[in-house]
Amino acid sequence: MQTASNVPLLQYKDLNSKFGNFSNYYNEYAVNPYWLIANIRSQGTTNNLIGNVQADYKFAPWIKGTVRLASNLSFGSGKNTNAPVVVSDWAAANRNATQYSNRPGAEVDDQNSSSTINFDYYLSGDHDLSKDFSFKYIAGGSVRDSRYKDVQAGGNNLLVNNLYNIGVRSGDAIVGTNGISNYRLVGAYVDLGFSYKGWASVEFTGRNDWDSRLSEANRSFFYPTVNAAVVLSDAIPSLKDNNFLSYLKLFGNISKSGNVNLNPYQLQVTYSQPGGFPYGNIGGFTTNNTYPNPDLKPEFVNGKELGVEALFFSNRLGVNATYFTQKNTNQVLQISQSWATGFPVGLANAADFKNYGVEGDITLSPLVNVGKGRIDFKMNATYNNNKVLSTLNNAPVIIGGSSGFIQNSVGSPTINNIAVVGLPAFSFQMSDYQRDPEGRVVVDGTTGMPALSSSLITKGRTLPTWILGFTPSYSVGNFSVSMTWEYKAGNDFYSGLGSDEDFAGISARSAEYGRQRFVFPNSSIYVGPKNAAGIPTDEGLADIKNYVANTNIQVQDGNSGFWTGGTSNTEIATNYFGSAAAWRLRELNISYSLPFKWIGATKAIKRLTVSAIGKNLLLFVPKSNQWGDPEFNYSTTGNTFGLGSSFQSPASRLFGGSITVQF
Amino acid sequence: MKYIFFNKKFLFVIGLGLMLGSCSKSYLDINSNPNQSTDENITPELIFPQAAEAVGSIQGVGPWGFLDGWLGYFASNGDFARDQQTTSYNIDFSFSNGAWSTYYDALFDLHQVKTKALVKGDTALAGASMILSAKLWQELVDAFGNVPYSDAFSVDKNPRPTYDDAKTIYNSLQLSLDTAIQYMKTIPPAGFYFPTADIVNHGDQSKWMRFANILKLRMLLRQSEVSGFDPSSELTKINNTTNGGLPGVGDSFSENPGYQNDVNKQNPTFATLGYNSAASPAKQNTSTGLNNYILGVLYSGTSTVSSPDFIDPRTYRFWQTVSGGFYGNNYGDDAGNSYSGASTSYFGPGLIGDPNNSGIYTAGASQDQWILPDYESLFMESEAAERGWIEGDAQSLFESAITQSFIFLKVPDANNAALSYIENTFFANWQQWQEYKGSTVEDMADLIAIQKYISNCGIDPFESWSDERRLHMLELLADPNTPIGIPINEYSDYISANPSKISSTIPIRLLYPQTEYTTNSTNVKAQGTIDQFSSKIFWMP
């Protein structure tokens, strides 16, 4: 970030060269990236053991008993090592100590193990009640036990250079999170399906869960589903045997599903030892920041779906369409609260929202034949709208994000995801300039500088309304090529990279006026009444007559004073907020199978395919997006969407290839 | 027949499932936390050391580092671009997030200690928490004015706490301190661990009472310029000797849970202004050093010697020399006009402890963290005596405060050095000041505030900011007609040199934090539009 774009970074590869070595690296604020690659390492291994035992017994032709025990054991071990920094005497004496000072090596070892044991038992079977009428059923229960344990230990001051063992440290060892986590889930369910002549079916399911992560009163919850389908092309004789329509199915379902969106032990306030505690024999605890509602309930999704599936022209054209509506109730959210409550984060069933839309796809197979080759085409489209129906106490719920986002630059914007009744699930709440009733930015009559508003504005939506996918492919003989294109639109995003770039002076925005003084565009000046302390009155501020357009007052400093200033630029979230629409070429796949005559059934090698694959090849974004891929998310609290920062590395463009040999 | 048979089996399976479900109560009772302490097993004496350490950390630079800049103590060196926000005084809402959250976080833990200690009947522990809380609440009010107080820390009832009037909070704190003093009069019965947990006064309950009384006096002094202010009822309680009296020489309040020279375990001041714990330690604060303004003040003020050869001997304790001299920068100056970090005077042994024989600074890493040094109490008592609020001779309290400042900073031969300083320095000398400025209470309060300002360099910038907001003593230092040895203006002004500054005076308060506008907007907006230059705290003249 603090590196100018004309610096030839590739030439610093040799860490022993004159300019590449640690002490001589040109930048006072950053370390040679090649040094970091070589010296800050994180290595780990995970071993998994998956086991499965199943016993079936047929009590009667239509009663089969099944007992299944499945286990997944995982053992992980990792080691993070930071190499010691040894700088030259000259660098220690003359360069800034933030980077250029000696530091000992450090290491942390981590061991963890987890186990998930699933025990399922059920009876199942099917039976024809008559020639036309049959049913099938499953009834049973399940028990899941999930455990996790993690132990960390390490040392900050390693006495022997480049030997990474806790035994060679001085001072206290670092004892990291030593966590145990265990939950149990017991379930009982029934699934009953009826079918008539093979073209009409209806299925009922019901399930009750008991989950250890909830309090005794809320532990048990039931959720049923019913779905039905009819294949009209089989049911209605007049639809049979025509060249136009080859298959037509209608289906629908009404479902409810429950989910416990919690980790174990989240129902209680916790206390832990922060910072340097314990100091010798003095321990000290602080109240942790989250206040959970001990009465948390499971989340439910109540869904309704109605759909059609059709094939035309001897299966050459396929069309699927589904209308869906979902009501999500009791969403467990992390809520931002005032620090004065003692708990800046609350955990509660804080919002209900609705999701509705249409999902469909069209398959053309083949779309067209070109000589010996053929072109196929598949397209899918989803329109998904959503709306918050209610929130805790009907007050806006701040879901997460941060104020003073953790970023490189000093003074960065406040932006959050927020749930407001009647708005999309979810929208953004963010900092903005002070504006007059017409929306013009209000600048100071003397300095020409804009200012940060105390009110946050709410706008935008976090999730796309439209997602389109296009998959054309072409194949001729043994050669085939396919592409996956995707378009998402309707949502917005915030790029924290923007304010960092402005701070470092490497953004296009910051050079917009050639670093010279300028008149802030579309701005006005307040000339209305002020109170005794010289502060504009609320009534005055609300009246558009008290503003005059600013045509000639330039900002007092058009250079770093403006562009790195928090209230004038870098803390204004709306400066870095925009449409998240994007077209992208997700994947390009080219493959070639060697002709059968060279290999083939009689030879040792039966099949050989060579393919090349490229991922994230192209990205097209609107001109307003100067910052790149809008699909990044990073936040200090909560599960959020559309909040990017400079801490994620950009999506990597990936090229790969494969050779598949079949013997 | 077949059909009915099936149904029976079927019901049996459902029954089995339900039975397993309902029989599993104890099987599912595994949700008590094996990793972290909860309300079921935490005790107040386990929270107190952390909360007391947090109070010390706040004092050891903590969230107030920028005040050291605003008040002319510290300035950025030339290694980094100046911080645009603090040096332009154009602070915004997020700027206050740190101070606000740090204070409420510490106050909440102190509140937890108090509540849980009272349930147990450990009144001394509750009293200690209330005394430390009163200090933090006062500072919160002094920085923000009205803040959530009576609605705070009751999240179920008040998820969006309303704001209390600043003056009402002051009055309520006086009452809380009275209660704490009563609590401190009772020795806890055997079985309570208060003395072990007390990392501040080690169970010395009469010292806690003196701490409470000086905090009471500190709130009264803040209101000295409020017209019609009558402190008499509170003074009666402070002057009542059965309530423990005021701190004297040697009554410094500090905390130390067992600081040591290791990562994360250093004394907070040392961790910010000192060196890291590596074998060849490097500066922790690579962007900040000596400010030319305080250097000018330390160089000046002598009536008999008008050359910089005679300087305040504390200069050597506040600051380190670079090639034998002191080199400072102007606050808010362009990086290009400032000395590099290596060429700027760094924080000295009075703040970060003395170096060892090989010249390496390590001792300060384990030193006690001051909360309220004795000299500061003595300056306050001197002003109170001058105002006729308490018994005692204002001048001798003033001189004793200066001497204690020398001793606090470990100036060599401190007593004699202080005597010579008082004799030779215009603004440390009671008589010379009276001759120049006059001898009214306000004149003498200015003198006391000036000396308190110098003593508090890097130690308590918050108190200096409050005194400046109350008495404007820094304007007197900047007065070219002041008969001081060297005009301070020759060195620098404490006002920022940043051309983007939006005012030529320092802000008198902070804005409410962004987090409040986000999470508690109705209540914070009820406080009206806040301006950092004109929205006064209730006690400001």
Side-chain angles (χ1 to χ4, degrees), chain B residues 375-418:
Chain B
Y375 70 81
E376 232 188 298
S377 300
L378 293 167
F379 278 124
M380 289 187 239
E381 289 163 39
S382 168
E383 188 185 338
E386 180 63 22
R387 292 183 186 277
W389 290 0
I390 61 167
E391 295 290 308
D393 177 52
Q395 183 184 344
S396 64
L397 281 164
F398 172 71
E399 288 170 0
S400 147
I402 294 175
T403 309
Q404 287 310 309
S405 162
F406 276 60
I407 291 171
F408 181 86
L409 293 164
K410 299 201 180 73
V411 173
D413 192 15
N415 282 299
N416 288 323

Side-chain angles (χ1 to χ4, degrees), chain A residues 222-265:
Chain A
F222 176 73
Y223 46 99
T225 304
V226 54
N227 60 60
V230 53
V231 182
L232 288 176
S233 51
D234 290 344
I236 302 169
S238 61
L239 289 178
K240 278 182 189 164
D241 303 323
N242 71 62
N243 289 332
F244 172 67
L245 181 72
S246 37
Y247 182 76
L248 179 66
K249 178 179 164 184
L250 293 179
F251 60 91
N253 68 55
I254 300 172
S255 67
K256 180 176 180 182
S257 73
N259 176 33
V260 177
N261 183 14
L262 283 174
N263 290 321
Y265 324 126

Side-chain angles (χ1 to χ4, degrees), chain A residues 118-363:
Chain A
N118 277 308
F119 177 62
D120 289 288
Y121 53 95
Y122 55 87
L123 295 175
S124 63
D126 49 50
H127 186 62
D128 293 334
L129 292 173
S130 68
K131 194 169 127 285
D132 293 334
F133 201 63
S134 71
F135 72 82
K136 59 179 183 172
Y137 70 92
I138 306 175
S142 68
V143 179
R144 178 191 294 171
D145 184 306
S146 173
R147 288 162 200 262
Y148 178 76
K149 186 174 180 187
D150 179 55
V151 178
Q152 278 182 0
N156 274 325
N157 304 301
L158 300 183
L159 297 168
V160 181
N161 277 356
N162 302 312
L163 175 60
Y164 301 103
N165 190 296
I166 188 171
V168 301
R169 73 171 200 282
S170 69
D172 282 357
I174 309 164
V175 182
T177 50
N178 288 300
I180 300 173
S181 167
N182 182 200
Y183 76 89
R184 290 172 179 157
L185 177 67
V186 176
Y189 56 88
V190 177
D191 180 339
L192 200 53
F194 298 93
S195 144
Y196 180 71
K197 280 188 173 172
W199 52 258
S201 65
V202 56
E203 191 180 357
F204 302 91
T205 63
R207 184 180 170 102
N208 201 89
D209 280 348
W210 291 264
D211 196 307
S212 72
R213 289 168 292 184
L214 297 172
S215 71
E216 210 184 321
N218 300 314
R219 185 175 283 167
S220 165
F221 54 99
F222 176 73
Y223 46 99
T225 304
V226 54
N227 60 60
V230 53
V231 182
L232 288 176
S233 51
D234 290 344
I236 302 169
S238 61
L239 289 178
K240 278 182 189 164
D241 303 323
N242 71 62
N243 289 332
F244 172 67
L245 181 72
S246 37
Y247 182 76
L248 179 66
K249 178 179 164 184
L250 293 179
F251 60 91
N253 68 55
I254 300 172
S255 67
K256 180 176 180 182
S257 73
N259 176 33
V260 177
N261 183 14
L262 283 174
N263 290 321
Y265 324 126
Q266 276 194 290
L267 302 182
Q268 282 171 304
V269 172
T270 57
Y271 297 79
S272 62
Q273 302 206 69
F277 281 96
Y279 293 89
N281 56 3
I282 302 267
F285 286 77
T286 184
T287 318
N288 290 332
N289 288 340
T290 303
Y291 182 76
N293 179 347
D295 204 28
L296 283 172
K297 296 181 173 58
E299 295 179 347
F300 286 105
V301 180
N302 295 286
K304 289 190 192 99
E305 248 181 36
L306 201 60
V308 57
E309 223 179 289
L311 291 168
F312 300 94
F313 309 116
S314 317
N315 301 346
R316 203 169 153 184
L317 167 67
V319 177
N320 287 334
T322 312
Y323 168 80
F324 61 90
T325 161
Q326 287 175 337
K327 194 180 160 197
N328 299 259
T329 58
N330 285 341
Q331 297 300 296
V332 175
L333 297 173
Q334 284 192 2
I335 308 163
S336 300
Q337 301 180 150
S338 167
W339 275 93
T341 62
F343 296 99
V345 181
L347 189 67
N349 294 110
D352 293 354
F353 64 89
K354 190 167 111 173
N355 246 330
Y356 58 97
V358 183
E359 198 176 348
D361 61 63
I362 295 171
T363 313

Side-chain angles (χ1 to χ4, degrees), chain A residues 29 98 123 271 286 338 571, chain B residues 13 20 39 79 92 109 286 516:
Chain A
Y29 310 107
T98 304
L123 295 175
Y271 297 79
T286 184
S338 167
E571 293 209 18
Chain B
V13 172
L20 259 166
D39 281 315
D79 284 359
D92 57 30
D109 281 331
T286 54
E516 282 295 287

Side-chain angles (χ1 to χ4, degrees), chain A residues 29 62-63 93-94 96-98 101-104 121 123 127 129 135 137 139-140 143-145 156-157 170-172 178-186 188 190 192 210-214 216 219 264-272 274-280 282-289 291 336-343 393 395-396 398 403-404 410-412 414 416 429 431 452-456 533 535-536 538 556-557 560-561 564-567 571, chain B residues 2-3 5-6 9-10 13-14 16-18 20-22 24-40 42 45-47 49-51 53 77 79-85 90-95 97 100-101 104-105 108-109 112 116 148 151-156 158-161 196 199 257-260 262-266 276-280 282-283 286-287 342 499-502 514-520 525 529-531 534-535:
Chain A
Y29 310 107
W62 43 276
I63 306 177
N94 294 291
N96 192 283
T98 304
S101 59
N102 288 344
R103 268 161 282 165
Y121 53 95
L123 295 175
H127 186 62
L129 292 173
F135 72 82
Y137 70 92
V143 179
R144 178 191 294 171
D145 184 306
N156 274 325
N157 304 301
S170 69
D172 282 357
N178 288 300
I180 300 173
S181 167
N182 182 200
Y183 76 89
R184 290 172 179 157
L185 177 67
V186 176
V190 177
L192 200 53
W210 291 264
D211 196 307
S212 72
R213 289 168 292 184
L214 297 172
E216 210 184 321
R219 185 175 283 167
Y265 324 126
Q266 276 194 290
L267 302 182
Q268 282 171 304
V269 172
T270 57
Y271 297 79
S272 62
F277 281 96
Y279 293 89
I282 302 267
F285 286 77
T286 184
T287 318
N288 290 332
N289 288 340
Y291 182 76
S336 300
Q337 301 180 150
S338 167
W339 275 93
T341 62
F343 296 99
N393 305 325
I398 309 294
S403 45
V410 202
S412 26
T414 295
N416 298 298
Q429 183 203 46
S431 51
L452 178 70
S453 164
S454 66
S455 305
L456 298 167
I535 301 169
D538 288 348
Q556 66 177 8
D557 180 350
S560 64
T564 71
T567 57
E571 293 209 18
Chain B
K2 244 180 173 179
Y3 184 56
F5 171 69
F6 162 77
K9 267 272 165 104
F10 183 67
V13 172
I14 299 178
L16 183 74
L18 290 173
L20 259 166
S22 51
S24 54
K25 181 183 157 352
S26 61
Y27 180 73
L28 291 172
D29 275 338
I30 53 162
N31 209 28
S32 61
N33 200 318
N35 304 316
Q36 285 171 315
S37 183
T38 62
D39 281 315
E40 286 157 20
I42 195 77
E45 54 275 10
L46 284 176
I47 307 175
Q50 184 281 130
E53 203 273 340
N77 61 43
D79 284 359
F80 292 92
R82 64 183 155 222
D83 175 41
Q84 200 60 36
Q85 179 158 203
N90 194 1
I91 54 170
D92 57 30
F93 310 103
S94 315
F95 182 71
N97 286 351
W100 185 271
S101 61
Y104 273 104
D105 208 11
F108 182 52
D109 281 331
Q112 294 270 60
K116 289 176 193 295
D151 273 4
F153 310 140
S154 53
V155 61
D156 279 329
N158 299 302
R160 292 176 190 79
T196 338
I199 61 165
Y259 294 126
Q260 63 203 63
D262 200 350
V263 178
N264 253 339
K265 305 238 176 198
Q266 295 177 326
N276 67 24
S277 61
S280 46
K283 288 174 184 174
T286 54
S287 62
S500 297
K501 65 172 180 276
I502 57 168
Q514 186 71 66
T515 52
E516 282 295 287
Y517 287 99
T518 310
T519 59
N520 195 13
K525 280 187 185 156
T529 307
I530 306 290
D531 180 89
S534 55
S535 305

Side-chain angles (χ1 to χ4, degrees), chain A residues 632-653:
Chain A
F632 283 127
N633 184 58
Y634 173 91
S635 81
T636 50
T637 53
N639 289 324
T640 56
F641 293 96
L643 303 176
S645 85
S646 49
F647 282 91
Q648 306 94 12
S649 43
S652 38
R653 187 173 288 167

Side-chain angles (χ1 to χ4, degrees), chain B residues 461-476:
Chain B
F462 192 91
E463 186 68 13
S464 301
W465 187 40
S466 301
D467 280 345
E468 169 61 18
R469 292 182 289 165
R470 177 172 64 107
L471 301 168
H472 302 297
M473 73 284 177
L474 292 186
E475 271 95 287
L476 284 175

